[in-house]
Amino acid sequence: MSKPTPPTVEQAEVLVVGAGPVGLTLALELEQHGVQTLLVERNASTTRHPKMDVTNGRSMELYRRLGVADDLRNVALTADRPTKVTWATNAAGWELASFEYPSVDDMRAKNRERNDGTGPLEPWMRVSQVILEPALRDLLLDRAKHVNVQYGWGLESFEEDADGVTAHLVSADGTSRRTIRARYLAGCDGAGSRTRRQLGIGLDEIDLRKLVVREIGLPRTVAALARAFRERGERPADGRFYLVHFTTKDPAVLGRFGTVWHLQSPDGWTLISQNDGDTFTLHAPLGMGTDAEGIDPREFLFGRLGCRFEANVLVANAWTPRLTVADSFGRGRVWLAGDAVHQVTPTGGYGMNTGVGDAVGLGWGLAAVLQGWGTPDLLDAYEHERRAVALRNRQAAARHALVRAAIMTSNRAELHSERWLGARTRQRVGREILDLGNLENEALGIELGYRYDTSPVVCPDTAPGAQAPRQTMDDYVPSTWPGARPPSVLLADGTALFDLFHSAGFTLLRFADHDVTALTEAAAERGVPLEIVDVRDPHAHALYERDLVLVRPDQHVAWRGDTPPADPLHVIDRIRGARH
């Protein structure tokens, strides 16, 4: 009697679980390094939920590095459209305050004119995740030579050993199973990450309802929201929101305040225009004990916006914003990125954008280890670097959410009154909104100013008197302080310096005549990919602060100096994760 044939075990260097924007970006990064990758997604196709609507400047710089920024802009809002955020009593009521921002074209022109390193090379991009995901998927399917993308397969379990991971996948309908043998597993499988749960990694969570609004100068707690709701005769909000994603053939019904990106109300809801045309998403707080299953989405929509119109509801569901960061980003042969390790409120748009940075950071580290020139300590450094960013971004998102909470506590029934008291109340609330500002859409310090200066694979600046620039949420100070994203600058011939960086290895920028043979030989001895780029541009030299600046594959400074390092092998070993 013959023995049953053992199931076929498929092979991959990296198995990426989850094909949201983070998993897709990680696959693009691994493709750039030539790593054989299998990307699986438990759903049959890309998401129908509009989970994000802006890709910030830093993410767009990284997409430019991956060669896909222009492709993504082709499916996004056109570059000539300005952006406006407006606060109003409702869609049919009174405007309270507005914040206006230039178009992508205007931002590019302004950055070219200034050319002082204070802005991103790529301005932000407005696009819904409903559109972004298919675009990223199609780019992989069309161009990838090393990545296999498969939908309808989810992770069921895995076993890890010294040489790799054996992963067991199950089909979406539960009828089929398969086994994958990979050297590494990357869990990009969202907030409920099965990968994280099997690793036993916990989440550190902040309860937004208990935060105190101190840093914005208002001695109120979010509990005051309950009082504000009661004053309007409504049930207090319980932390949940209700989403209604819809289209309308008559967007003029919602055009009382012109073309608005975000229409926000002191009642707590936000209406997002996804395309400055016919597609919108409403997020509104739910009252305590409200049965979300019993909500009529159309009536919910009309009740919040204050007007009725023809609407085709695409998606409607309740959701709960969270402020969490995982206790660890992985270990050994299994690592995590994106929502699997951090979830934040939508305020600021830091969820997916933080995940894009994760994907690039994890991707080049995995490639370095698989190609033999990096050590596994690079992956420990990935956690050190990206977890610090996640914690900082969580703090910023919480701050922005509290600003909105403070505005909600300012709400009174008089806001909707046509009497003189209503006009006075609206004027006062409008001034408060302008005073509080709109930092959630202006925080360049968060987007561009994060640094990996305490990373074990970054060489500190030991020059006498050297001081790291101050970090704040709002301001970005251009710097090549080790661990920082270097300044974006155009050279005299119009070339973007970022475009000269080696995307799959290290780049040594040489702004003055120095013999760096010893450093290049040390890199060659360890197999570290290193390219020398000579720059003789006084303006760029001044911005880059040193004669020699070593830039990592993820466009962060690894080392800098005015002379070649005295011990070049030590520098090379440190940046590749080799301990001494």
Side-chain angles (χ1 to χ4, degrees), residues 460-516:
D461 190 327
T462 58
Q467 288 188 330
R470 187 171 64 96
Q471 286 181 300
T472 64
M473 288 187 190
D474 49 350
D475 291 328
Y476 164 64
V477 179
S479 174
T480 57
W481 187 262
R485 163 204 169 273
S488 168
V489 60
L490 301 179
L491 303 179
D493 63 358
T495 301
L497 184 53
F498 272 34
D499 289 343
L500 302 181
F501 294 171
H502 184 14
S503 60
F506 287 81
T507 305
L508 181 63
L509 298 172
R510 183 164 56 177
F511 293 94
D513 294 330
H514 291 286
D515 183 357
V516 294

Side-chain angles (χ1 to χ4, degrees), residues 255-435:
R256 181 180 179 88
F257 311 108
T259 302
V260 175
W261 172 38
H262 283 186
L263 181 64
Q264 299 171 178
S265 166
D267 289 341
W269 55 258
T270 298
L271 179 70
I272 302 167
S273 172
Q274 299 288 356
N275 61 357
D276 278 0
D278 64 352
T279 306
F280 301 85
T281 306
L282 175 78
H283 295 274
L286 284 176
M288 183 123 7
T290 301
D291 177 14
E293 296 297 323
I295 291 176
D296 180 331
R298 287 167 54 85
E299 293 304 317
F300 186 89
L301 178 67
F302 301 151
R304 269 59 186 178
L305 298 185
C307 55
R308 304 183 73 86
F309 49 91
E310 288 298 318
N312 176 33
V313 175
L314 304 176
V315 176
N317 60 267
W319 64 279
T320 302
R322 302 182 67 190
L323 290 166
T324 67
V325 175
D327 297 331
S328 170
F329 278 30
R331 59 176 178 267
R333 296 280 175 169
V334 184
W335 294 88
L336 304 161
D339 282 357
V341 281
H342 47 72
Q343 299 108 53
V344 294
T345 58
T347 46
Y350 302 138
M352 188 278 289
N353 287 296
T354 306
V356 169
D358 296 344
V360 172
L362 179 58
W364 84 266
L366 285 170
V369 176
L370 289 166
Q371 292 166 1
W373 57 267
T375 80
D377 283 351
L378 276 180
L379 302 177
D380 293 328
Y382 157 75
E383 172 179 290
H384 180 101
E385 294 173 357
R386 295 306 302 171
R387 189 169 188 275
V389 172
L391 290 168
R392 186 170 185 248
N393 290 1
R394 178 178 68 172
Q395 179 186 11
R399 181 261 176 213
H400 303 329
L402 290 174
V403 168
R404 293 200 182 197
I407 293 168
M408 287 178 69
T409 65
S410 297
N411 184 41
R412 297 292 183 271
E414 294 84 27
L415 277 174
H416 300 274
S417 171
E418 295 187 15
R419 298 171 65 87
W420 68 270
L421 186 57
R424 190 176 70 174
T425 302
R426 289 190 291 273
Q427 187 178 45
R428 175 181 57 78
V429 173
R431 286 197 304 268
E432 288 182 358
I433 292 170
L434 292 173
D435 287 344

Side-chain angles (χ1 to χ4, degrees), residues 130-290:
V130 172
I131 296 172
L132 180 66
E133 268 191 32
L136 289 169
R137 176 203 60 195
D138 292 348
L139 286 166
L140 272 171
L141 293 176
D142 290 346
R143 301 180 186 180
K145 299 178 181 178
H146 307 282
V147 177
N148 184 3
V149 185
Q150 298 182 5
Y151 286 80
W153 291 95
L155 178 69
E156 190 170 45
S157 63
F158 62 86
E159 296 95 37
E160 179 187 4
D161 56 51
D163 299 318
V165 179
T166 301
H168 306 285
L169 306 183
V170 60
S171 61
D173 60 9
T175 62
S176 301
R177 283 172 170 75
R178 53 198 280 218
T179 301
I180 310 294
R181 179 65 179 173
R183 293 180 65 185
Y184 285 93
L185 168 64
C188 303
D189 43 351
S193 172
R194 182 179 290 271
T195 312
R196 186 193 68 237
R197 285 186 280 120
Q198 184 170 332
L199 287 174
I201 295 173
L203 295 173
D204 176 74
E205 183 161 12
I206 293 175
D207 188 343
L208 183 60
R209 293 170 298 178
K210 296 179 180 178
L211 289 177
V212 179
V213 193
R214 288 198 183 101
E215 64 264 41
I216 58 175
L218 294 172
R220 298 169 177 158
T221 67
V222 181
L225 292 177
R227 294 193 296 275
F229 273 83
R230 281 193 292 270
E231 288 175 4
R232 300 195 301 272
E234 301 174 14
R235 284 181 284 187
D238 64 4
R240 295 177 300 154
F241 279 73
Y242 195 74
L243 172 154
V244 184
H245 184 49
F246 66 97
T247 60
T248 176
K249 294 180 180 179
D250 186 12
V253 173
L254 302 175
R256 181 180 179 88
F257 311 108
T259 302
V260 175
W261 172 38
H262 283 186
L263 181 64
Q264 299 171 178
S265 166
D267 289 341
W269 55 258
T270 298
L271 179 70
I272 302 167
S273 172
Q274 299 288 356
N275 61 357
D276 278 0
D278 64 352
T279 306
F280 301 85
T281 306
L282 175 78
H283 295 274
L286 284 176
M288 183 123 7
T290 301

Side-chain angles (χ1 to χ4, degrees), residues 111 113-119 478 487-489 539 543:
N111 284 337
E113 181 180 351
R114 291 186 310 187
N115 200 27
D116 59 0
T118 57
S488 168
V489 60
H539 178 59
L543 278 175

